[in-house]
Amino acid sequence: MRIIGGKYRGRTLTPFRGRDVRPTSDRAKESLFNILAPEISGANVLDLFCGTGGIGLEALSRGADLVVFNDVSKDSLEIVRKNLALLKADAKIYNLDYRVLLDRLDVKFDIIYIDPPYKSEFGADALRLIAQKELLNTGGIAVLESDRPFEGEADGLVCYDERKYGIAYLTFFTPD
């Protein structure tokens, strides 16, 4: 795992041992950040279901002002902490169920990255909560990573793009 752009470009990060975490591929991450490039500098970013934090760390490297990491796995968050220390970077870290976190947040985001366990319905539920709580700034972007195309409704959010990278689908939403 490595940072692919920005001020920490090329830095190798502490990886997660085992199969419980599925980091976003470098190809998908590079494409994602090419799409989001104009939005990153000065942004508030939420890395929901962060795993090892690769997306949030990349956002920090590219100039995000605030990055919030959340995961229910303490092991994953320990990797995030190690990588933040390695980069000498600051961020907020939460070890909460995503529903609890989304209910408690009192900040709006420019970018929310949602990468729940594949085969779960957590992504659609998170999108619903994000819209309901109005957690995206005007013009903000929520990105859902999934193993299948998005089907269904995201009331309060408009799906405006979807792309496939290997087995991953990245679906982009903005406030209605």
Side-chain angles (χ1 to χ4, degrees), residues 6-43:
K7 67 182 175 183
Y8 304 126
R9 182 181 181 170
R11 298 288 296 270
T12 300
L13 301 171
T14 303
F16 189 88
R17 304 281 183 222
R19 296 176 185 247
D20 293 340
V21 174
R22 169 199 32 79
T24 301
S25 72
D26 279 354
R27 179 174 170 238
K29 187 166 50 171
E30 185 171 13
S31 296
L32 171 69
F33 280 93
N34 285 340
I35 294 166
L36 297 178
E39 313 302 325
I40 298 291
S41 183

Side-chain angles (χ1 to χ4, degrees), residues 31-57:
S31 296
L32 171 69
F33 280 93
N34 285 340
I35 294 166
L36 297 178
E39 313 302 325
I40 298 291
S41 183
N44 289 349
V45 177
L46 171 58
D47 191 351
L48 194 60
F49 307 98
C50 70
T52 59
I55 298 299
L57 294 167

